[in-house]
Structure formats: structure tokens, C-alpha cells
Tab-separated table of all heavy atoms in Angstrom:
chain	number	residue	atom	x	y	z
A	36	PHE	N	-6.391	10.026	-3.382
A	36	PHE	CA	-6.408	11.422	-3.817
A	36	PHE	C	-7.737	11.687	-4.519
A	36	PHE	O	-8.479	10.750	-4.850
A	36	PHE	CB	-5.227	11.716	-4.746
A	36	PHE	CG	-4.940	10.627	-5.738
A	36	PHE	CD1	-5.620	10.551	-6.953
A	36	PHE	CD2	-3.987	9.650	-5.465
A	36	PHE	CE1	-5.354	9.542	-7.866
A	36	PHE	CE2	-3.718	8.630	-6.369
A	36	PHE	CZ	-4.407	8.577	-7.578
A	37	SER	N	-8.004	12.936	-4.747
A	37	SER	CA	-9.288	13.331	-5.319
A	37	SER	C	-9.380	12.985	-6.799
A	37	SER	O	-8.374	12.734	-7.472
A	37	SER	CB	-9.492	14.836	-5.143
A	37	SER	OG	-8.535	15.549	-5.923
A	38	ASP	N	-10.608	13.005	-7.311
A	38	ASP	CA	-10.823	12.762	-8.744
A	38	ASP	C	-10.130	13.831	-9.582
A	38	ASP	O	-9.596	13.538	-10.659
A	38	ASP	CB	-12.323	12.744	-9.064
A	38	ASP	CG	-13.039	11.550	-8.472
A	38	ASP	OD1	-12.358	10.570	-8.090
A	38	ASP	OD2	-14.287	11.592	-8.370
A	39	ALA	N	-10.139	15.073	-9.098
A	39	ALA	CA	-9.483	16.155	-9.840
A	39	ALA	C	-7.979	15.920	-9.946
A	39	ALA	O	-7.369	16.153	-10.991
A	39	ALA	CB	-9.764	17.495	-9.164
A	40	VAL	N	-7.382	15.446	-8.879
A	40	VAL	CA	-5.959	15.138	-8.901
A	40	VAL	C	-5.691	13.950	-9.826
A	40	VAL	O	-4.710	13.935	-10.575
A	40	VAL	CB	-5.446	14.863	-7.480
A	40	VAL	CG1	-4.063	14.212	-7.509
A	40	VAL	CG2	-5.389	16.158	-6.682
A	41	SER	N	-6.548	12.968	-9.795
A	41	SER	CA	-6.409	11.814	-10.688
A	41	SER	C	-6.385	12.253	-12.143
A	41	SER	O	-5.559	11.790	-12.946
A	41	SER	CB	-7.546	10.826	-10.450
A	41	SER	OG	-7.457	9.741	-11.354
A	42	GLU	N	-7.263	13.163	-12.483
A	42	GLU	CA	-7.325	13.669	-13.867
A	42	GLU	C	-6.036	14.371	-14.260
A	42	GLU	O	-5.495	14.161	-15.354
A	42	GLU	CB	-8.513	14.623	-14.001
A	42	GLU	CG	-8.706	15.183	-15.394
A	42	GLU	CD	-9.893	16.128	-15.486
A	42	GLU	OE1	-10.761	16.101	-14.591
A	42	GLU	OE2	-9.940	16.909	-16.469
A	43	GLN	N	-5.503	15.182	-13.346
A	43	GLN	CA	-4.265	15.901	-13.638
A	43	GLN	C	-3.064	14.954	-13.705
A	43	GLN	O	-2.176	15.136	-14.548
A	43	GLN	CB	-4.026	16.979	-12.581
A	43	GLN	CG	-5.017	18.122	-12.626
A	43	GLN	CD	-4.952	18.912	-13.915
A	43	GLN	OE1	-3.882	19.100	-14.501
A	43	GLN	NE2	-6.093	19.389	-14.381
A	44	LEU	N	-3.045	13.949	-12.853
A	44	LEU	CA	-1.956	12.976	-12.894
A	44	LEU	C	-1.906	12.254	-14.229
A	44	LEU	O	-0.830	12.022	-14.788
A	44	LEU	CB	-2.103	11.971	-11.751
A	44	LEU	CG	-1.768	12.456	-10.342
A	44	LEU	CD1	-2.148	11.391	-9.317
A	44	LEU	CD2	-0.286	12.804	-10.210
A	45	GLN	N	-3.062	11.894	-14.737
A	45	GLN	CA	-3.099	11.215	-16.032
A	45	GLN	C	-2.598	12.128	-17.153
A	45	GLN	O	-1.931	11.664	-18.083
A	45	GLN	CB	-4.533	10.749	-16.311
A	45	GLN	CG	-4.982	9.632	-15.370
A	45	GLN	CD	-6.433	9.255	-15.588
A	45	GLN	OE1	-6.794	8.640	-16.599
A	45	GLN	NE2	-7.284	9.627	-14.630
A	46	LYS	N	-2.892	13.411	-17.060
A	46	LYS	CA	-2.362	14.357	-18.041
A	46	LYS	C	-0.841	14.424	-17.966
A	46	LYS	O	-0.156	14.464	-18.999
A	46	LYS	CB	-2.973	15.743	-17.810
A	46	LYS	CG	-4.453	15.853	-18.170
A	46	LYS	CD	-4.958	17.279	-17.933
A	46	LYS	CE	-6.429	17.402	-18.301
A	46	LYS	NZ	-6.943	18.775	-18.060
A	47	LEU	N	-0.317	14.442	-16.749
A	47	LEU	CA	1.135	14.468	-16.577
A	47	LEU	C	1.769	13.202	-17.132
A	47	LEU	O	2.830	13.260	-17.793
A	47	LEU	CB	1.494	14.625	-15.098
A	47	LEU	CG	1.814	16.046	-14.619
A	47	LEU	CD1	0.629	16.977	-14.820
A	47	LEU	CD2	2.235	16.025	-13.144
A	48	GLN	N	1.154	12.072	-16.901
A	48	GLN	CA	1.694	10.815	-17.404
A	48	GLN	C	1.746	10.818	-18.928
A	48	GLN	O	2.712	10.319	-19.523
A	48	GLN	CB	0.859	9.647	-16.890
A	48	GLN	CG	1.037	9.369	-15.403
A	48	GLN	CD	0.110	8.286	-14.904
A	48	GLN	OE1	-1.025	8.160	-15.357
A	48	GLN	NE2	0.580	7.486	-13.964
A	49	ARG	N	0.742	11.375	-19.552
A	49	ARG	CA	0.742	11.441	-21.031
A	49	ARG	C	1.838	12.363	-21.544
A	49	ARG	O	2.305	12.210	-22.676
A	49	ARG	CB	-0.634	11.901	-21.530
A	49	ARG	CG	-1.726	10.847	-21.369
A	49	ARG	CD	-2.971	11.214	-22.163
A	49	ARG	NE	-3.692	12.342	-21.588
A	49	ARG	CZ	-4.661	12.250	-20.691
A	49	ARG	NH1	-5.013	11.052	-20.224
A	49	ARG	NH2	-5.276	13.326	-20.253
A	50	ARG	N	2.276	13.281	-20.715
A	50	ARG	CA	3.378	14.183	-21.082
A	50	ARG	C	4.741	13.563	-20.771
A	50	ARG	O	5.772	14.184	-21.003
A	50	ARG	CB	3.225	15.512	-20.342
A	50	ARG	CG	2.034	16.329	-20.769
A	50	ARG	CD	1.834	17.574	-19.906
A	50	ARG	NE	2.959	18.501	-19.959
A	50	ARG	CZ	2.966	19.705	-19.375
A	50	ARG	NH1	1.903	20.113	-18.716
A	50	ARG	NH2	4.021	20.484	-19.466
A	51	GLY	N	4.763	12.359	-20.207
A	51	GLY	CA	6.019	11.682	-19.910
A	51	GLY	C	6.566	11.952	-18.528
A	51	GLY	O	7.705	11.542	-18.218
A	52	VAL	N	5.797	12.617	-17.689
A	52	VAL	CA	6.231	12.875	-16.313
A	52	VAL	C	5.999	11.610	-15.486
A	52	VAL	O	4.903	11.043	-15.493
A	52	VAL	CB	5.457	14.063	-15.706
A	52	VAL	CG1	5.877	14.280	-14.255
A	52	VAL	CG2	5.684	15.324	-16.535
A	53	ILE	N	7.032	11.153	-14.790
A	53	ILE	CA	6.902	9.970	-13.938
A	53	ILE	C	6.286	10.393	-12.609
A	53	ILE	O	6.786	11.306	-11.948
A	53	ILE	CB	8.274	9.303	-13.693
A	53	ILE	CG1	8.927	8.950	-15.029
A	53	ILE	CG2	8.106	8.063	-12.826
A	53	ILE	CD1	8.159	7.955	-15.850
A	54	CYS	N	5.204	9.731	-12.227
A	54	CYS	CA	4.480	10.099	-11.011
A	54	CYS	C	4.506	8.945	-10.015
A	54	CYS	O	4.345	7.784	-10.394
A	54	CYS	CB	3.036	10.467	-11.336
A	54	CYS	SG	2.863	11.849	-12.505
A	55	ALA	N	4.712	9.289	-8.765
A	55	ALA	CA	4.702	8.305	-7.689
A	55	ALA	C	3.795	8.806	-6.577
A	55	ALA	O	3.566	10.012	-6.447
A	55	ALA	CB	6.114	8.080	-7.148
A	56	VAL	N	3.273	7.879	-5.792
A	56	VAL	CA	2.416	8.265	-4.675
A	56	VAL	C	2.966	7.697	-3.373
A	56	VAL	O	3.257	6.511	-3.257
A	56	VAL	CB	0.953	7.821	-4.893
A	56	VAL	CG1	0.837	6.303	-5.047
A	56	VAL	CG2	0.062	8.309	-3.754
A	57	ALA	N	3.157	8.589	-2.400
A	57	ALA	CA	3.533	8.225	-1.038
A	57	ALA	C	2.366	8.617	-0.136
A	57	ALA	O	1.329	9.074	-0.608
A	57	ALA	CB	4.811	8.943	-0.630
A	58	SER	N	2.556	8.433	1.156
A	58	SER	CA	1.504	8.805	2.093
A	58	SER	C	1.971	9.959	2.967
A	58	SER	O	3.137	10.028	3.347
A	58	SER	CB	1.123	7.616	2.980
A	58	SER	OG	0.183	8.007	3.967
A	59	ARG	N	1.042	10.828	3.293
A	59	ARG	CA	1.383	11.932	4.185
A	59	ARG	C	1.350	11.504	5.650
A	59	ARG	O	1.673	12.306	6.534
A	59	ARG	CB	0.447	13.120	3.955
A	59	ARG	CG	-0.980	12.893	4.385
A	59	ARG	CD	-1.849	14.116	4.148
A	59	ARG	NE	-3.049	14.083	5.000
A	59	ARG	CZ	-3.931	15.070	5.071
A	59	ARG	NH1	-3.777	16.160	4.330
A	59	ARG	NH2	-4.972	14.973	5.872
A	60	THR	N	0.975	10.263	5.927
A	60	THR	CA	0.991	9.752	7.291
A	60	THR	C	2.418	9.420	7.705
A	60	THR	O	3.335	9.383	6.885
A	60	THR	CB	0.120	8.490	7.423
A	60	THR	OG1	0.656	7.452	6.591
A	60	THR	CG2	-1.311	8.774	7.010
A	61	GLN	N	2.623	9.128	8.973
A	61	GLN	CA	3.956	8.857	9.499
A	61	GLN	C	4.348	7.385	9.415
A	61	GLN	O	5.494	7.039	9.662
A	61	GLN	CB	4.033	9.320	10.957
A	61	GLN	CG	3.935	10.826	11.142
A	61	GLN	CD	5.168	11.568	10.666
A	61	GLN	OE1	6.227	10.998	10.504
A	61	GLN	NE2	5.019	12.856	10.421
A	62	SER	N	3.403	6.506	9.107
A	62	SER	CA	3.728	5.084	9.039
A	62	SER	C	2.774	4.393	8.077
A	62	SER	O	1.805	4.994	7.593
A	62	SER	CB	3.652	4.429	10.426
A	62	SER	OG	2.337	4.508	10.945
A	63	GLY	N	3.045	3.123	7.797
A	63	GLY	CA	2.225	2.389	6.839
A	63	GLY	C	2.811	2.447	5.444
A	63	GLY	O	3.929	2.913	5.231
A	64	PHE	N	2.051	1.972	4.474
A	64	PHE	CA	2.525	1.907	3.101
A	64	PHE	C	1.443	2.417	2.162
A	64	PHE	O	0.302	2.677	2.575
A	64	PHE	CB	2.902	0.466	2.739
A	64	PHE	CG	1.746	-0.502	2.840
A	64	PHE	CD1	0.954	-0.774	1.732
A	64	PHE	CD2	1.440	-1.125	4.043
A	64	PHE	CE1	-0.115	-1.647	1.818
A	64	PHE	CE2	0.375	-2.007	4.141
A	64	PHE	CZ	-0.403	-2.271	3.031
């Protein structure tokens, strides 16, 4: 993901929001 998204994710984590990352592709991990 982009640097801007990374920055926002870290803000959410500090607020106690649990964040997970999946892939928008149809296969793989």
C-alpha cells in the first residue's frame, strides 16, 4: 500500500483499531 495509507493505518492503530491486510488479487497470500 502507499506511504499515505501506511501513515493513516498507524494512526488507526494508535486509536485501538485492529487493522488487517488482504490482497485484492484472486490468489496468493
Side-chain angles (χ1 to χ4, degrees):
F36 41 85
S37 66
D38 292 343
V40 166
S41 177
E42 182 180 342
Q43 292 296 325
L44 286 172
Q45 292 176 72
K46 290 181 180 179
L47 263 61
Q48 289 175 325
R49 288 193 289 269
R50 293 174 61 174
V52 178
I53 303 298
C54 301
V56 60
S58 175
R59 69 179 201 175
T60 63
Q61 293 289 341
S62 62
F64 61 92

